[in-house]
Amino acid sequence: MKTMKNTGSGQKVRVGIVGVGNWAKYGHIPALRLLPGYEITAVSSRRIETAQEIAKSFGISAAFSDYHDLVTDPEVDMVIVLPPAPQHAAVVKAAIAAGKDVYSEWPLTTSTADSEELLHIAQAAGVRHVVGLQRRVGPSAQYLRDLVASKYVGEMRSVRIHVSMPYFHQERPPALAWTLGAKNFSHVLAIYVGHFLDMLFHAVGQPKTLSSIIATQFPTLTLSATGESFPNDTPDGIVGIGTLENGALLSFQVEGGKLHNSGLQIDITGTTGDLKISNPSSFGHAKENLIEGGQSAKTPFSELPIPSAYSHIPPSSLDVSVEDLAHLYAAHLEDRKNGTHIAPNFRDGVRMHKLIDLMFASSSTGALQTVDSDK
């Protein structure tokens, strides 16, 4: 395996974006433009007209219809891969072959085996690789991690998380047409379990055992634009229990299509205190997660404001989901400069793929699954 190169020259990282759909326009482009360490120099789309329109709108110099032209462009240092998950592997491989650092949106690929292959290829090539599990690097997640590590609650006894969203209901808008079909690995379990459990386990420690029930509660899915309906072969809800490596009890639930009172709720119970993390939205939220806590029975349970030191990006009016993405890109700059590994990478993506595989295995067999410590 080659040694990963340190490319912290102080010059701007020139970025090429493959796939310029809604998340590119709403999330990645604003996040990158917020950080002076990046310059977007190229975009590509299957339709050259789309690429040219985006390039013109955001002052980007090059537009391509073939991603091969983008990844070999000498004005591109890092390739951002944003098409639907089934297309990730081919683009990532091309970027690595061109010797470029690469970011892949989560899910990394549609299977654990394909994701493992990308990890091995990237390691052998010595390029930096980043996966879009950005929630773990946001200020609230980092502060939560430090609170737990500092024994704010003493020894953890239990951790509970519930994540829900009105999206992924039985009727899907055109913008979510890519979520239809299990082969796309772009359902509630893949996306939201991946993002939120990665963030949780990064803060409280990895799971040791898992048992889960996965359900498809909407038997058909309908595209609102056409009225066309399809049999639903994707999960839209999961409940699970288990234990963490430190012995704490774990419970989790993720469900799509929840029309009211959706969002994020986390409860952490310890021997000497408690923490609560909440947000009325699980995506597109205007405010950072609220962290509340209390130590001992005599301590009032109250908000724990997130210290400003946990923010590593310029002030902005972007929503927090996009600011988390900007924090990921800021972490990547730090990694390039110092040779660190703050930003989540393909190894983290493979770990999450394996955990999701265990959840499916548990649901189909009814058996408690043991998580290997190196996963």
Side-chain angles (χ1 to χ4, degrees):
M1 183 179 72
K2 294 182 180 179
T3 301
M4 188 170 291
K5 57 190 176 183
N6 185 325
T7 52
S9 63
Q11 297 178 344
K12 287 190 175 184
V13 178
R14 298 170 300 176
V15 168
I17 300 177
V18 178
V20 285
N22 290 334
W23 185 223
K25 292 181 286 186
Y26 178 78
H28 284 267
I29 293 176
L32 286 163
R33 285 160 61 93
L34 183 64
L35 302 174
Y38 290 97
E39 179 185 3
I40 306 173
T41 56
V43 292
S44 75
S45 175
R46 285 177 296 179
R47 294 182 65 253
I48 187 60
E49 295 83 4
T50 301
Q52 290 172 335
E53 179 184 349
I54 294 295
K56 182 179 180 180
S57 298
F58 292 98
I60 301 167
S61 57
F64 302 102
S65 60
D66 187 334
Y67 68 81
H68 290 95
D69 294 329
L70 182 145
V71 301
T72 56
D73 186 341
E75 297 300 313
V76 170
D77 304 313
M78 182 180 185
V79 178
I80 311 298
V81 182
L82 303 182
Q87 301 171 37
H88 288 180
V91 184
V92 170
K93 287 179 181 178
I96 294 172
K100 305 297 175 71
D101 289 350
V102 61
Y103 167 106
S104 174
E105 188 56 84
W106 173 260
L108 182 51
T109 70
T110 58
S111 74
T112 300
D114 287 346
S115 293
E116 287 181 314
E117 181 186 14
L118 293 188
L119 172 61
H120 294 152
I121 293 173
Q123 288 177 326
V127 301
R128 288 201 171 274
H129 43 95
V130 181
V131 68
L133 292 169
Q134 67 271 7
R135 293 186 181 274
R136 66 157 68 182
V137 295
S140 62
Q142 291 294 311
Y143 185 38
L144 174 62
R145 178 180 168 90
D146 286 349
L147 285 170
V148 170
S150 68
K151 302 294 186 181
Y152 180 90
V153 299
E155 299 300 324
M156 277 191 297
R157 295 171 51 215
S158 67
V159 176
R160 182 192 71 86
I161 182 171
H162 182 273
V163 181
S164 57
M165 71 295 305
Y167 322 109
F168 292 89
H169 203 269
Q170 60 189 358
E171 185 173 277
R172 305 287 170 88
L176 288 180
W178 51 273
T179 65
L180 274 64
K183 67 180 185 301
N184 290 331
F185 197 65
S186 299
H187 42 68
V188 168
L189 183 56
I191 296 173
Y192 281 85
V193 164
H195 278 292
F196 281 94
L197 290 192
D198 173 78
M199 178 269 288
L200 180 69
F201 295 150
H202 187 65
V204 302
Q206 295 299 317
K208 183 178 181 180
T209 60
L210 289 173
S211 179
S212 62
I213 299 173
I214 298 170
T216 299
Q217 297 179 314
F218 301 126
T220 61
L221 299 177
T222 302
L223 286 176
S224 60
T226 64
E228 187 177 5
S229 294
F230 304 86
N232 184 16
D233 61 353
T234 63
D236 40 52
I238 178 173
V239 294
I241 59 173
T243 56
L244 299 179
E245 287 182 343
N246 57 22
L249 300 177
L250 168 69
S251 63
F252 57 93
Q253 180 177 9
V254 180
E255 54 185 336
K258 185 172 175 57
L259 301 181
H260 303 284
N261 194 36
S262 61
L264 168 69
Q265 299 91 37
I266 300 173
D267 289 297
I268 299 175
T269 301
T271 55
T272 60
D274 300 279
L275 286 166
K276 178 181 179 180
I277 301 88
S278 60
N279 200 307
S281 176
S282 57
F283 178 77
H285 41 292
K287 294 184 178 180
E288 186 60 80
N289 296 333
L290 173 66
I291 299 180
E292 299 170 278
Q295 295 175 301
S296 80
K298 297 180 180 179
T299 304
F301 194 77
S302 58
E303 180 179 356
L304 303 176
I306 301 169
S308 59
Y310 285 91
S311 182
H312 304 289
I313 62 175
S316 81
S317 59
L318 301 174
D319 78 52
V320 175
S321 295
V322 179
E323 288 189 342
D324 282 350
L325 191 56
H327 275 95
L328 182 149
Y329 281 121
H332 176 66
L333 287 177
E334 189 73 13
D335 289 342
R336 288 172 64 102
K337 177 181 178 182
N338 298 324
T340 52
H341 298 278
I342 303 169
N345 58 36
F346 289 3
R347 182 176 295 280
D348 299 299
V350 168
R351 180 198 291 269
M352 184 49 61
H353 271 286
K354 290 181 176 181
L355 286 175
I356 292 173
D357 287 347
L358 289 180
M359 293 173 196
F360 275 108
S362 174
S363 185
S364 62
T365 65
L368 181 71
Q369 303 292 310
T370 300
V371 182
D372 290 346
S373 59
D374 63 348
K375 289 184 179 181

